[in-house]
Amino acid sequence: MKKFFVLWASQAASQFGSSIVNFALVWYLTRETGSATILATATIAALLPGVILGPFIGPFIDRWDRKKIMIFADLIATLLTVFLIILFTTHTLQIWHIYLVIIARSITESFQGLALSASIPMVVPEKYLPKVNGFNQTLRGLITIVSPAAGAFLMDMLPMQGVVSVDVITAVIAVGCLIPLVIPRPPRTTLSVKPNIIGDMVQGFRYIASWRGLLYLIIWVALLNFFGAPTHTLVPLFVKQYLGGDVLKLGWLQTATGAGFIAGGLLIGAWGGFKRGIVTCFAGVILQSIVRVAFGFVTDEFYWCGVAIWFITGVGGAIAWAPIHAIIQSTVARDMQGRVYSVLYSSIQAMMTLSLAVTGPVVDLIGVRAIYVIGGAGILLMTIAGFFSRDLMNLEDKKTEDQTTGKTLF
């Protein structure tokens, strides 16, 4: 477990810096434009690389040294931050520059995120995976709490170039933690000896297609994000239009979400969830769906009810995501996990991109409030439907080559 905590500390530093940059850029766009379409476009710019490149990245994660991938991803992201610092300092920044940096950072984050997810089962015993993923949700919550507050404080105290420069410092810390860490490579059970990226990618698709429970899980999670993406992306606009337009209020909402992730992550870390992880996941998603509908009715007068709602959303998110990771990490062949995660994330990002492409114009017609009611109701209906899928409910009964008989699933 010592290796896990070193890895955990490294990614805590990296994600903290990235979160401050993301917070600062989102509020900068909100402040300068006030446009739902601009915010949606920025989010699409962050998602498209994962949609297009995700399936191609997976084979590299399964073949390359995952520690080196995370290190190089951090270093490239740092160079992009330096580019932003120069643009802000020289007052030459344009909106398209932000889109360009968002796209490039998205590519590095895809490599880093996939490498991290696939590295965890290499340093953590299987029986601890549910709890470890609970602690990862706690980390996500801590970052969500600290980074918006830190970002809002820094934006009040420093020019934009000073705010984003924090990412350079945290990247140095992250790389410093990773350099001495040894992450074993997975045993090769599915990869051909001769590198063949297209063949590996096709093999990954066949693996998923032949396992209906895993396929349905990926489709279900992707559809949840179709309904959920706008409810996250448009929070800054909701604050501007209905909650007084105060950046500190936005910070408090995001901090409440982080506190919820901490609470939910600690709960899963201590409890481990129900016997079937998918049931734990469903419980968290249902909790989220109900409170998202409620947020659509929050007014400035009842702002603190909105804070409570986003706290509950965070709790539900931690309860939902921890078992998904544990299920994949404990049932999917270890040298297939990079490809499975890449398909999962690219599917999520594809649905989010489609959703946000529609959301901008729709918000201009029906308003931001209606998006929360529609999104929450859609998530609830999708989860109820999931309970009636036998393949999805029995997903964890399926074991792969390195856990049971040595037979592959394709």
Side-chain angles (χ1 to χ4, degrees):
M1 293 294 287
K2 181 180 178 181
K3 288 184 177 181
F4 166 73
F5 285 111
V6 173
L7 182 62
W8 192 81
S10 166
Q11 296 313 296
S14 177
Q15 292 175 29
F16 175 65
S18 296
S19 294
I20 286 182
V21 171
N22 293 338
F23 177 88
L25 292 179
V26 166
W27 187 252
Y28 178 84
L29 290 174
T30 303
R31 184 182 65 195
E32 298 297 318
T33 69
S35 169
T37 301
I38 291 290
L39 288 178
T41 303
T43 305
I44 290 171
L47 295 174
L48 273 179
V51 176
I52 298 170
L53 300 178
F56 295 94
I57 293 174
F60 290 107
I61 302 299
D62 289 330
R63 286 188 177 276
W64 291 353
D65 186 308
R66 292 166 181 174
K67 182 182 82 170
K68 291 180 180 178
I69 291 173
M70 288 185 280
I71 289 174
F72 281 110
D74 266 324
L75 293 176
I76 293 172
T78 301
L79 292 176
L80 293 169
T81 301
V82 172
F83 176 63
L84 274 179
I85 292 171
I86 294 171
L87 291 177
F88 278 119
T89 302
T90 58
H91 304 288
T92 55
L93 183 75
Q94 303 293 325
I95 298 298
W96 70 268
H97 288 141
I98 294 179
Y99 290 158
L100 182 64
V101 170
I102 287 174
I103 290 170
R105 285 179 67 92
S106 176
I107 295 172
T108 65
E109 288 171 3
S110 293
F111 274 96
Q112 186 177 41
L114 291 171
L116 173 62
S117 296
S119 294
I120 290 175
M122 302 308 302
V123 298
V124 175
E126 182 181 336
K127 64 180 180 179
Y128 294 122
L129 287 174
K131 294 186 175 183
V132 160
N133 282 289
F135 292 140
N136 276 337
Q137 298 306 311
T138 300
L139 171 61
R140 179 178 175 181
L142 285 169
I143 291 172
T144 306
I145 282 180
V146 176
S147 59
F153 173 77
L154 290 172
M155 290 186 76
D156 277 344
M157 300 293 294
L158 299 172
M160 281 294 294
Q161 60 266 31
V163 177
V164 299
S165 65
V166 172
D167 190 44
V168 177
I169 299 171
T170 55
V172 171
I173 296 172
V175 172
C177 290
L178 281 174
I179 287 175
L181 182 65
V182 176
I183 299 177
R185 291 196 177 190
R188 179 168 291 181
T189 61
T190 64
L191 291 165
S192 60
V193 175
K194 185 178 180 180
N196 183 351
I197 299 305
I198 299 300
D200 290 347
M201 183 177 67
V202 171
Q203 186 184 41
F205 284 124
R206 288 177 177 172
Y207 183 95
I208 294 168
S210 67
W211 185 354
R212 287 195 298 180
L214 181 61
L215 176 63
Y216 292 168
L217 177 69
I218 291 173
I219 293 172
W220 177 70
V221 172
L223 290 174
L224 291 182
N225 280 272
F226 175 84
F227 289 105
T231 66
H232 285 286
T233 302
L234 298 178
V235 172
L237 192 61
F238 192 99
V239 170
K240 182 175 181 179
Q241 291 186 1
Y242 303 115
L243 303 180
D246 186 347
V247 67
L248 292 177
K249 287 186 176 180
L250 174 62
W252 277 114
L253 290 174
Q254 294 189 355
T255 297
T257 306
F261 266 104
I262 291 174
L266 290 174
L267 175 62
I268 293 296
W271 166 40
F274 295 110
K275 183 177 180 180
R276 287 190 179 275
I278 194 67
V279 175
T280 308
C281 177
F282 285 166
V285 173
I286 289 173
L287 182 62
Q288 281 192 314
S289 67
I290 294 170
V291 295
R292 287 191 196 194
V293 171
F295 186 72
F297 298 95
V298 170
T299 63
D300 198 17
E301 182 181 2
F302 295 98
Y303 166 72
W304 290 105
C305 292
V307 173
I309 284 171
W310 281 101
F311 173 81
I312 297 171
T313 298
V315 172
I319 293 173
W321 268 107
I324 290 176
H325 287 294
I327 289 169
I328 292 174
Q329 291 165 357
S330 64
T331 61
V332 173
R334 291 183 177 180
D335 66 337
M336 183 64 75
Q337 289 185 13
R339 283 165 283 178
V340 170
Y341 268 117
S342 70
V343 173
L344 172 65
Y345 290 150
S346 62
S347 299
I348 289 172
Q349 291 165 337
M351 286 295 100
M352 291 174 68
T353 301
L354 177 61
S355 175
L356 293 170
V358 174
T359 297
V362 169
V363 167
D364 293 335
L365 292 175
I366 65 175
V368 178
R369 290 189 184 278
I371 294 299
Y372 288 87
V373 177
I374 295 170
I379 291 170
L380 179 60
L381 291 174
M382 287 300 306
T383 306
I384 292 172
F387 274 109
F388 292 94
S389 170
R390 181 177 300 179
D391 291 297
L392 192 55
M393 293 297 294
N394 296 330
L395 170 62
E396 294 153 270
D397 294 338
K398 195 80 168 179
K399 295 295 181 181
T400 54
E401 181 177 12
D402 56 344
Q403 279 101 19
T404 54
T405 63
K407 295 180 180 179
T408 59
L409 296 171
F410 53 91

